[in-house]
Amino acid sequence: MSAQTSTTKMQDHATFLAGAHDFQADIELLASSNMIGTILDTVMLATNMRFAGVARVTADRWVACRTVDEVKFGIAAGDEIPIESTFCQTVRDTSEMVVFGNATTDAVYKGHPIAAAFGIVSYASAPIFRSDGSFFGTLCAIDTDPKDVDNPRSVAMLQMFADLIGRSLETEERLEAQEMLVEHERRMQQAQEEFVAILGHDLRNPIAALLSGLRQVAKEPLTERGRDYLVLMRASLYRMNEMIDNLMLHAKSRLGAGITVVATPDAALQDAVEHVVAEVRAAAPEKEIIVDLDLSRPVSCDPARVAQAISNLVSNAISYGRTDAPVRIAAEYRQSGLAIDVVNEGDAIPPSVQDVLFQPFRRGSEIGSTGLGLGLHIASSIARAHNGSLSVMSGNGTTTFRFEIPLIGEASRS
């Protein structure tokens, strides 16, 4: 039996390999399934027949989806033969098995033209139905010699395997659909993160221009109201710049492999932290910030990243703390490393909020929310990149964020 072709519909194994078959999805589903391969091998072993296959059968098409061919019929996945030259058309029309062990003696199929045309002596074809009851195709076993395939045990086995294939079709299709959905969501997320990174980059230039303009305006004679406006504008631009820094760092960490830090063995951390605190003070002159830092001992860290984390923590403390109470920043050397505390007074953070506080784009709705919900996530990521941690303690009218990193040791990539 050789696969035949037609100038209209008939397709073959090469078409399947090229990915252009009409039944490409069905063939790929079965051709790649380990379970189908095991079933076909088991059918051949149990019946002693030398050809087994699963075919997709419609009203006018017969297409091989998976075959094991030891007879050398020449039928492989994607090959098609005329439906009228198969017994599967009868199986589809009647929803019943066609089975005979010896075409030369069988009462029904003796002298049948299909058997005679292809030299088929023993044959079995069981219908495969999807879980919704629709007809999919057939499970076939064929040989050119007589085989004891029409006994009750072989018939029951073939029916069981056909039912198993039918039930597995929906499972495999659901799995494939889920994998496609996951891949689609991954690509969408990557596109969003790339957009955020580009947006953040493009916003930096106009913000830098505005800051430069404000510096020039500050040199001009201003009324008291003008000076007040200048402070508010500077604070807004500082906040925008901080958001952009956090957005870009988050996007880069997501597009790459986390936040990267470049550790300096004896980092100038004191200067870096004091610089960002000065920036926050300039942006929020009405807020008292008390600093108690003595960072005289050497720390292996990326000072710019640590300073960014402290800046985020101080901004968070200003946003959520009591307006009439100061924000305190203190450092303490411990046996495990350096701990920098940022403390504000105000309502306690509920435990349910603490559980998600360091996740990206999660804001404490129970205690009010400002910004994008990235500042604490970035600070926590920077701590982890230094093999450290960020923790929160909140109660009795005080909230403390503790940023901890080891004194000695290399920072890593989180």
Side-chain angles (χ1 to χ4, degrees):
M1 183 187 295
S2 61
Q4 301 177 30
T5 60
S6 166
T7 57
T8 54
K9 285 186 176 180
M10 306 290 279
Q11 295 179 315
D12 57 18
H13 183 60
T15 309
F16 161 63
L17 293 179
H21 205 287
D22 290 349
F23 294 102
Q24 189 74 23
D26 291 331
I27 300 170
E28 287 181 351
L29 186 67
L30 295 172
S32 62
S33 170
N34 292 331
M35 185 192 75
I36 299 300
T38 301
I39 287 176
L40 295 182
D41 288 341
T42 304
V43 166
M44 293 175 69
L45 183 64
T47 62
N48 202 29
M49 300 176 82
R50 292 173 293 162
F51 178 93
V54 177
R56 181 74 170 90
V57 181
T58 67
D60 57 354
R61 310 261 315 260
W62 186 101
V63 178
C65 292
R66 181 78 174 263
T67 64
V68 180
D69 185 4
E70 295 179 359
V71 182
K72 306 303 181 186
F73 281 141
I75 299 178
D79 283 336
E80 184 170 354
I81 60 177
I83 183 69
E84 62 273 10
S85 67
T86 74
F87 291 104
C88 293
Q89 190 173 45
T90 300
V91 175
R92 185 180 187 278
D93 292 341
T94 65
S95 297
E96 299 289 341
M97 281 186 67
V98 170
V99 56
F100 52 87
N102 190 337
T104 62
T105 60
D106 188 87
V108 176
Y109 293 98
K110 180 179 180 180
H112 196 287
I114 293 178
F118 297 108
I120 297 173
V121 176
S122 52
Y123 180 88
S125 179
I128 298 172
F129 297 95
R130 295 179 181 272
S131 58
D132 62 1
S134 61
F135 184 85
F136 175 83
T138 57
L139 169 62
C140 304
I142 308 171
D143 207 294
T144 54
D145 294 328
K147 303 293 180 181
D148 183 21
V149 70
D150 50 359
N151 66 80
R153 296 179 69 176
S154 295
V155 170
M157 178 196 67
L158 289 166
Q159 288 176 330
M160 178 190 71
F161 281 145
D163 290 343
L164 183 60
I165 293 171
R167 288 195 299 271
S168 74
L169 289 172
E170 186 175 356
T171 301
E172 295 282 352
E173 287 167 350
R174 282 202 306 265
L175 179 60
E176 183 178 8
Q178 184 64 31
E179 290 174 346
M180 290 176 63
L181 178 62
V182 169
E183 177 61 17
H184 173 72
E185 290 178 346
R186 187 193 66 79
R187 290 181 179 178
M188 286 295 294
Q189 185 176 32
Q190 183 176 18
Q192 290 169 355
E193 287 160 356
E194 289 174 350
F195 170 76
V196 166
I198 293 169
L199 176 65
H201 180 271
D202 290 347
L203 283 174
R204 277 190 161 177
N205 287 337
I207 287 179
L210 286 171
L211 284 170
S212 177
L214 285 180
R215 284 192 291 270
Q216 294 301 317
V217 170
K219 298 176 182 178
E220 302 293 330
L222 294 171
T223 65
E224 185 175 348
R225 176 178 288 187
R227 285 192 294 271
D228 290 341
Y229 286 150
L230 197 64
V231 169
L232 292 174
M233 292 168 67
R234 187 183 292 117
S236 296
L237 285 173
Y238 173 80
R239 183 66 176 143
M240 290 169 63
N241 204 47
E242 183 183 57
M243 288 181 181
I244 290 171
D245 285 344
N246 286 334
L247 271 174
M248 291 192 67
L249 187 57
H250 176 69
K252 287 178 180 178
S253 71
R254 294 285 294 170
L255 291 169
I259 291 178
T260 303
V261 297
V262 180
T264 302
D266 188 3
L269 188 55
Q270 178 101 19
D271 292 341
V273 173
E274 287 180 349
H275 177 73
V276 297
V277 171
E279 288 182 341
V280 176
R281 279 179 171 150
E286 76 288 350
K287 190 69 177 181
E288 183 181 7
I289 303 175
I290 299 174
V291 180
D292 181 15
L293 292 176
D294 178 13
L295 303 176
S296 57
R297 292 177 60 182
V299 180
S300 176
C301 71
D302 185 327
R305 286 284 178 256
V306 173
Q308 182 179 3
I310 301 305
S311 175
N312 286 348
L313 295 177
V314 174
S315 295
N316 180 79
I318 292 174
S319 297
Y320 292 102
R322 275 176 38 202
T323 56
D324 60 345
V327 171
R328 301 178 186 274
I329 308 171
E332 179 185 0
Y333 290 101
R334 301 178 166 198
Q335 186 174 1
S336 58
L338 171 65
I340 302 177
D341 289 347
V342 177
V343 185
N344 66 268
E345 297 179 24
D347 295 335
I349 302 174
S352 60
V353 176
Q354 293 185 36
D355 290 341
V356 298
L357 206 53
F358 301 138
Q359 295 180 17
F361 305 110
R362 297 297 295 266
R363 301 182 296 176
S365 58
E366 297 180 40
I367 55 174
S369 61
T370 61
L372 297 170
L374 269 179
L376 294 179
H377 169 68
I378 294 296
S380 177
S381 299
I382 291 172
R384 288 198 307 272
H386 285 84
N387 294 322
S389 64
L390 177 64
S391 59
V392 60
M393 296 160 284
S394 188
N396 299 321
T398 301
T399 295
T400 301
F401 285 91
R402 176 162 291 165
F403 182 91
E404 296 183 88
I405 56 175
L407 290 177
I408 302 173
E410 301 234 353
S412 64
R413 177 177 291 181
S414 173

